[in-house]
Amino acid sequence: MTWRMWAEILTITPSLRCWGTGPLEITLRVPASHVLPFPLKDNFWEMGDTGPCGPCTEIHYDHVGGGRNAAALVNQGSPDVVEIWNLVFMQYSREVEGNLIPLPQHHVDTGMGLERLVTVLQNKHSNYDTDLFTPILDAIHKGCGGPRYQGLVGEADIGAVNMAYRVVADHVRTLCVCITDGIYPGLSGAELVLRRILRRAVRFCSEVLHAPPGLLASLVPTVVDVLGDAYPELRKNTDQIADIINENEAAFLSSLERGRRIIERTVQQMEPSMDFPAEVAWSLYGNLGFPLDLIDLMLEEKGIRLDSAAFDELALEDAKRKAHGLQARQLEGENVYLDVHSLAQLHSNNVPVTDDSPKYAYTLGQHGQYEFSPCQATILMLYRDQSLQEEVGAGQHCGVILDRTNFYAEQGGQASDRGYLMRLGQQDTLFPVESVHLCGGYVIHEVTAVETLRAGDQVQLFVDEAQRLACMINHTATHLLSFALRHILGDNTEQQGSHVTAERLRFDFNTKGPVTMEHLQQVEQVVQEVIKRNEVVHMAEVPLTLARRVQGLRTVDEEYPDPVRIVSLGVPVESVLIHDSEAAMHTSVELCCGTHLLQTGAVEDLAIISERQLAKGISRVIAVTGGQAKQAREVGQYLAMEVDSLSIRLKQGSTSIPEVQNLSREVGQLTKVVASTAMPQWQRKELQTILKALQRTANTAIKKLEMQQAAEKAQSLLAKHCNQPVIIDTVPADSPSILMKVVNHLCDKSPGTSVLLLSPQASGEVLCACQVSKNCLPMFSAADWATAVCTQMEGKAGGSCVVAKGSGNAKGMQGALTTALAFAQSKL
């Protein structure tokens, strides 16, 4: 770009001053007519209801040019005069009450629109006419086979086809970049936003462009061609992006079909002139993700209105619930997270950041037990109600800032320590530490003061050693698990996230294919081998540049401090740092700030108790260690024995329907237990496969026995009512299905006969089943016949004109038999 081009673009502001680490001033001399003042609503930028904000200087560009005065068109929505850059002078913080407080540090937030700048450089009038979009628009045209994109807007864009082109092109770019960044369509937060973006794009593809399913995913390679050079991660994840889009599109189209069926069924059940129930519409919108405008459109086609007032009320209640939950979470954390003003005050008062190196001060004793070094500290400041305080009274919840600590603050996926503080000289008063957080280098200990605490107090720190050790075990086990997954599934397996607590560990990773039962067993075996070898865990801080040279280093793609801490299992850090060393290729070597075991043997065992797909190509495993892993294996063995026992009893082949039904119920109950109990996941899958087969066996056996019993009863009734046009009788039957099978069998053997049977039950209930011969239709209806009979027994019935069933009370059974015969005679 030439300087002349810049001079033409930068015509709205005569001076820019950047506030930050050093003074910088750029002065452009431009005509005064090019500098336009605007009110707060146009030139004051805010990120939301609260947070950093400030006045802004917008840079606009006139596409027409020619020296004309375009001042009147700025901020007026003109397509010819557009904003291409916004410089926000971040100097205030908008508080909850609405007031503005100056920020302790000022800076300029430069928001340049890349697409708009490219539009200027390529002499185009629209972003969509630049080479950032034209290849995608061409690919859409090829995929849908409709008319080409013409850049039409408003009324000229008949059928909104051109708008659909723009929506799909814009949305597929968003989807590609977000999925590559690890955000997948989901049900909350950013994931929910992405889900709605994807579903909106799918609707424009199918409803406006009339494209076949799969168009959206077919555009991914084109997006990668356009953005891949600047964003190489796209090339690496092309297949995964397409798979996730296809999977979510199929789910959405399935939801649309279910939603249409629900709307149809609801409309059929509605009284004339009724509004469509808001509860049903809300369920479609909230649970199936059914677009509200599509609900309105479908109802409009049927001449029905949505009860909008009731729907808005449900939406308002939902918003209030969410706001209440958010407010509760904010109140929960407001005492422990330093706000920007308090952080600046600590810096201005030269309060040193917390020395938390004592958290790594622990050794192995002579008998293999972990010994944690004591730590003494001084209270530097207290934090409560979003302000720094020198003193906090008894019963008050606060954050305690110390000069040093051996408590681990939550970071790197590891949960924080718990424990207590004790003032020196006061051995009988404990101040429980509920959680620990890191804010700008200061470690904040969340405490409820049992007595007055003051800055300057000397305290002794006591970490909950059992909880810390459990976290150490699970964090080291996480590294072992990561290594084992790469070893079994391949070097392309990469960590996507993790969380370590004292109870369990969670690990997310990408994978090219499904994770099988065999894979899970093999991963556990690899981990157990390293545990048995009792490898030494080596830890050292090294310069970041040196650490990044380590071959095979497993890291999460994020920023790390310098120097960085390396954790290496079985190989000294010095060895993995040697130039061209491949030592790290054969063990677990990771950058990690967490607390770890000194030897792997303390893990004892690891059992993966859950594995599921978060999205296409992304799996999540949950594992337990030590005694919990042992218990999970014991429970797994016990349940395996239960399944074996049940299998043997089913194979014995009982001839009693109630007995087989009881076995079927046992299979169902055991299936639920296996699904919900902590046990090795490979074994759970194995048992679930067996139980599924057993359930099929039991169901088949029940049907076979029912058919046999029905055939026997039908044969007896045929002999009793030989060649009769109507059979009405009572018969013992254990279930409605058996009774109906008897009726069906009778009608199959005697096609011209209509049958109604009653079956009294021990509970006092009477079952009813009937079938009308097709020769008697339409005059004779099974549904009307069953209703008349069951009404006589104070019961209900339903069905079709051919078959129906119902139930009633035994007191009216004799009258019901009379009614059945009279009804049949009146129709024949």
Side-chain angles (χ1 to χ4, degrees):
M1 181 185 291
T2 64
W3 168 249
R4 182 175 177 278
M5 177 66 76
W6 277 107
E8 286 181 0
I9 296 172
L10 301 172
T11 55
I12 298 305
T13 176
S15 84
L16 307 173
R17 178 169 295 165
C18 298
W19 308 324
T21 55
L24 170 64
E25 185 170 313
I26 302 172
T27 302
L28 299 175
R29 301 189 182 281
V30 296
S33 61
H34 284 220
V35 181
L36 307 176
F38 280 89
L40 283 176
K41 80 177 184 66
D42 290 310
N43 274 76
F44 193 91
W45 186 90
E46 301 191 57
M47 63 185 294
D49 294 333
T50 61
C53 56
C56 60
T57 296
E58 296 175 355
I59 301 172
H60 291 249
Y61 181 78
D62 181 12
H63 282 285
V64 175
R68 71 168 182 164
N69 188 334
L73 298 176
V74 173
N75 282 337
Q76 297 303 311
S78 169
D80 295 324
V81 180
V82 296
E83 176 192 340
I84 62 168
W85 205 333
N86 187 4
L87 303 164
V88 182
F89 296 84
M90 292 291 190
Q91 62 189 91
Y92 299 110
S93 174
R94 176 77 70 181
E95 301 301 297
V96 176
E97 297 79 11
N99 56 309
L100 294 174
I101 297 178
L103 288 169
Q105 290 184 326
H106 297 171
H107 68 276
V108 177
D109 185 321
T110 60
M112 181 182 72
L114 170 65
E115 291 81 3
R116 295 188 183 188
L117 192 59
V118 172
T119 303
V120 172
L121 294 174
Q122 295 183 358
N123 197 28
K124 304 292 184 182
H125 267 64
S126 166
N127 297 349
Y128 297 96
D129 295 332
T130 68
D131 58 11
L132 289 172
F133 281 97
T134 51
I136 305 173
L137 297 170
D138 289 341
I140 295 171
H141 168 66
K142 290 177 185 176
C144 70
R148 282 190 172 277
Y149 176 71
Q150 298 174 287
L152 301 177
V153 297
E155 293 181 359
D157 184 16
I158 298 172
V161 171
N162 285 261
M163 183 174 78
Y165 267 94
R166 291 188 289 269
V167 168
V168 173
D170 177 82
H171 285 13
V172 74
R173 293 198 332 159
T174 300
L175 289 164
C176 288
V177 173
C178 287
I179 291 170
T180 297
D181 265 354
I183 300 172
Y184 309 105
L187 298 176
S188 62
E191 290 84 1
L192 177 58
V193 174
L194 197 65
R195 179 181 185 235
R196 288 174 175 165
I197 287 172
L198 186 146
R199 292 186 165 199
R200 185 169 186 254
V202 169
R203 285 189 59 209
F204 272 97
C205 284
S206 62
E207 296 172 15
V208 181
L209 298 176
H210 306 294
L215 171 66
L216 202 59
S218 74
L219 304 175
V220 172
T222 307
V223 175
V224 173
D225 287 342
V226 174
L227 300 178
D229 290 341
Y231 196 9
E233 290 86 349
L234 285 170
R235 299 192 190 282
K236 185 178 175 184
N237 295 286
T238 303
D239 291 342
Q240 183 197 13
I241 297 166
D243 286 345
I244 290 174
I245 290 175
N246 272 331
E247 188 178 70
N248 279 272
E249 178 181 10
F252 179 47
L253 293 175
S254 174
S255 294
L256 285 181
E257 188 55 39
R258 287 202 304 275
R260 287 189 177 97
R261 288 199 298 269
I262 290 170
I263 289 174
E264 291 287 350
R265 188 167 64 247
T266 305
V267 169
Q268 289 173 5
Q269 295 171 352
M270 285 170 52
E271 297 289 339
S273 76
M274 276 182 62
D275 285 344
F276 191 82
E279 295 80 8
V280 177
W282 181 254
S283 176
L284 290 170
Y285 174 74
N287 298 328
L288 289 183
F290 210 85
L292 186 57
D293 60 337
L294 188 57
I295 296 174
D296 286 332
L297 182 63
M298 291 183 67
L299 294 180
E300 185 181 329
E301 290 170 353
K302 297 178 182 299
I304 298 170
R305 294 179 309 169
L306 171 65
D307 187 347
S308 299
F311 185 91
D312 291 343
E313 191 174 326
L314 289 171
L316 182 62
E317 288 175 6
D318 183 67
K320 284 179 179 177
R321 276 196 302 271
K322 289 177 179 175
H324 179 73
L326 177 63
Q327 187 179 28
R329 289 193 296 274
Q330 288 174 339
L331 289 172
E332 214 173 82
E334 68 178 5
N335 283 329
V336 294
Y337 291 100
L338 291 174
D339 64 282
V340 64
H341 306 293
S342 297
L343 194 56
Q345 187 179 339
L346 288 170
H347 287 308
S348 65
N349 292 343
N350 295 318
V351 176
V353 296
T354 311
D355 172 17
D356 64 350
S357 59
K359 67 188 178 188
Y360 298 126
Y362 50 87
T363 58
L364 271 175
Q366 288 183 347
H367 303 291
Q369 79 282 10
Y370 278 81
E371 297 176 350
F372 296 88
S373 301
C375 183
Q376 185 175 316
T378 302
I379 296 178
L380 300 179
M381 194 63 67
L382 300 159
Y383 183 70
R384 185 173 182 274
D385 295 335
Q386 293 186 298
S387 67
L388 296 171
Q389 300 181 12
E390 296 277 344
E391 182 177 304
V392 167
Q396 293 184 330
H397 194 70
C398 67
V400 179
I401 302 173
L402 305 169
D403 61 338
R404 62 199 306 267
T405 184
N406 58 350
F407 277 77
Y408 184 86
E410 183 171 0
Q411 57 184 315
Q414 180 178 327
S416 73
D417 282 337
R418 296 193 299 266
Y420 60 91
L421 311 177
M422 192 168 63
R423 217 171 0 216
L424 289 184
Q426 273 188 278
Q427 307 297 318
D428 57 342
T429 305
L430 308 180
F431 297 84
V433 176
E434 299 159 23
S435 64
V436 189
H437 305 275
L438 185 64
C439 301
Y442 296 97
V443 177
I444 315 299
H445 305 72
E446 188 177 353
V447 169
T448 298
V450 293
E451 288 185 359
T452 300
L453 279 175
R454 298 181 179 85
D457 283 353
Q458 301 289 306
V459 292
Q460 191 84 20
L461 282 64
F462 296 89
V463 169
D464 182 332
E465 295 182 5
Q467 191 250 358
R468 160 69 81 84
L469 182 57
C471 283
M472 289 163 55
I473 288 171
N474 285 342
H475 204 150
T476 301
T478 303
H479 286 212
L480 288 172
L481 179 62
S482 176
F483 168 72
L485 285 166
R486 288 172 64 92
H487 183 74
I488 298 301
L489 301 179
D491 288 337
N492 290 328
T493 305
E494 293 182 0
Q495 178 178 339
Q496 298 294 315
S498 67
H499 187 60
V500 175
T501 67
E503 292 76 29
R504 56 181 55 187
L505 62 97
R506 187 192 75 211
F507 191 81
D508 302 341
F509 59 97
N510 68 338
T511 176
K512 295 297 182 185
V515 180
T516 65
M517 291 186 292
E518 291 75 18
H519 287 148
L520 294 177
Q521 283 181 285
Q522 291 166 3
V523 166
E524 287 186 358
Q525 287 166 6
V526 170
V527 172
Q528 286 158 6
E529 286 169 8
V530 183
I531 292 170
K532 287 175 184 175
R533 292 201 300 268
N534 199 21
E535 299 278 17
V536 174
V537 181
H538 300 273
M539 293 166 276
E541 284 194 349
V542 300
L544 184 59
T545 53
L546 191 59
R548 291 204 182 276
R549 295 177 194 164
V550 176
Q551 293 190 49
L553 181 68
R554 263 75 75 189
T555 66
V556 179
D557 185 16
E558 60 183 43
E559 293 297 321
Y560 286 91
D562 195 3
V564 70
R565 201 159 182 264
I566 288 183
V567 178
S568 173
L569 303 187
V571 180
V573 174
E574 298 78 18
S575 298
V576 301
L577 292 174
I578 296 172
H579 184 63
D580 289 337
S581 169
E582 295 187 358
M585 304 287 285
H586 309 293
T587 187
S588 168
V589 179
E590 299 191 28
L591 305 182
C592 184
C593 63
T595 56
H596 285 271
L597 296 172
L598 301 177
Q599 290 180 264
T600 61
V603 178
E604 295 181 2
D605 191 8
L606 178 139
I608 297 170
I609 60 171
S610 172
E611 184 276 325
R612 66 182 180 92
Q613 270 203 336
L614 296 180
K616 190 76 173 178
I618 304 292
S619 284
R620 166 172 290 176
V621 296
I622 295 174
V624 291
T625 58
Q628 283 182 288
K630 180 183 178 184
Q631 183 180 8
R633 295 193 191 283
E634 289 173 350
V635 169
Q637 290 301 313
Y638 170 76
L639 290 175
M641 291 167 59
E642 289 288 300
V643 171
D644 287 342
S645 170
L646 194 52
S647 178
I648 291 168
R649 283 186 285 151
L650 261 174
K651 286 176 181 176
Q652 288 172 350
S654 172
T655 57
S656 164
I657 291 177
E659 191 174 315
V660 180
Q661 286 175 332
N662 284 334
L663 287 173
S664 178
R665 278 192 289 271
E666 281 189 54
V667 173
Q669 290 165 357
L670 197 51
T671 298
K672 290 180 181 178
V673 172
V674 167
S676 60
T677 303
M679 61 187 295
Q681 180 70 1
W682 64 264
Q683 191 171 31
R684 187 196 318 279
K685 293 288 187 184
E686 199 173 72
L687 294 181
Q688 285 174 330
T689 301
I690 296 170
L691 286 165
K692 195 172 182 181
L694 291 178
Q695 191 69 71
R696 284 197 300 267
T697 301
N699 293 343
T700 302
I702 290 169
K703 287 178 183 177
K704 186 177 179 181
L705 289 170
E706 286 182 347
M707 290 299 292
Q708 289 175 354
Q709 190 181 100
E712 292 168 2
K713 294 180 186 297
Q715 195 62 40
S716 173
L717 287 167
L718 278 173
K720 181 179 177 182
H721 303 275
C722 184
N723 297 322
Q724 295 295 317
V726 177
I727 295 176
I728 299 170
D729 211 332
T730 61
V731 63
D734 293 328
S735 67
S737 65
I738 294 177
L739 186 63
M740 184 56 78
K741 283 183 175 69
V742 176
V743 170
N744 297 153
H745 204 82
L746 278 168
C747 292
D748 288 343
K749 293 294 183 181
S750 180
T753 302
S754 297
V755 179
L756 185 143
L757 299 178
L758 299 180
S759 179
Q761 303 293 299
S763 62
E765 182 185 29
V766 176
L767 304 178
C768 171
C770 66
Q771 182 170 333
V772 170
S773 171
K774 291 182 180 179
N775 299 334
C776 302
L777 298 175
M779 295 297 294
F780 198 176
S781 165
D784 293 343
W785 197 12
T787 300
V789 170
C790 291
T791 301
Q792 183 69 32
M793 298 187 294
E794 300 178 349
K796 292 182 179 179
S800 67
C801 58
V802 178
V803 294
K805 61 182 179 180
S807 64
N809 195 301
K811 292 179 181 178
M813 191 172 73
Q814 290 304 319
L817 290 169
T818 304
T819 300
L821 181 60
F823 187 94
Q825 288 173 341
S826 71
K827 300 297 180 180
L828 295 175

